[in-house]
Amino acid sequence: QVQLEESGGGSVQAGGSLRLSCAASGNTSYRRCMGWFRQAPGKEREVVATISRYVGGTAYADSVKGRFTISQDITSHTVSLQMNSLKPEDTAMYYCAAGGWAGSVCPLVTYRYDYSGQGTQVTVSS
């Protein structure tokens, strides 16, 4: 079992920044890959960023490349998502996710992740 708890969401104007954090606990075999999903009303859930727990390789959706940065602190079991230059289309519920994929770069597909948190809302106004 894996437990994930997100924090750091909120409201910001376009061009602003937010930093999301995820506190993770539980079986590390299921936390080899960590990622951030988002889901906007009426849209499918998408993976925006991933990081490999042991290799540190990262991957980003095209929509957030150059603006979002995922990072991790192995000691404190946290994964963060720094979001800069936010746009109204970034408005969504953001979820931390974990999966057991063992590659050097974690996939940007939701089905590779078995656990997710309750989510934190990010709202970007124009």
Side-chain angles (χ1 to χ4, degrees):
Q1 280 283 45
V2 172
Q3 294 77 41
L4 304 166
E5 184 173 357
E6 305 94 340
S7 61
S11 296
V12 66
Q13 288 194 326
S17 298
L18 283 172
R19 185 176 181 87
L20 305 182
S21 292
C22 173
S25 62
N27 194 327
T28 55
S29 295
Y30 298 109
R31 293 194 274 134
R32 293 190 183 102
C33 273
M34 299 294 294
W36 286 94
F37 297 176
R38 68 184 180 187
Q39 187 166 22
K43 294 189 177 181
E44 289 193 1
R45 188 171 288 196
E46 66 168 331
V47 184
V48 297
T50 68
I51 188 164
S52 168
R53 174 182 171 83
Y54 297 113
V55 178
T58 59
Y60 297 92
D62 288 343
S63 57
V64 306
K65 274 181 185 175
R67 301 188 298 120
F68 289 13
T69 302
I70 189 170
S71 61
Q72 64 182 349
D73 184 328
I74 298 292
T75 302
S76 64
H77 303 286
T78 59
V79 177
S80 299
L81 185 68
Q82 178 66 41
M83 305 185 294
N84 298 329
S85 302
L86 283 161
K87 304 175 181 180
E89 51 264 44
D90 293 318
T91 295
M93 187 71 80
Y94 283 72
Y95 301 88
C96 180
W101 179 260
S104 58
V105 175
C106 296
L108 288 163
V109 288
T110 56
Y111 65 82
R112 286 293 185 186
Y113 299 85
D114 303 303
Y115 299 92
S116 61
Q118 294 297 309
T120 185
Q121 178 68 38
V122 171
T123 302
V124 185
S125 58
S126 57

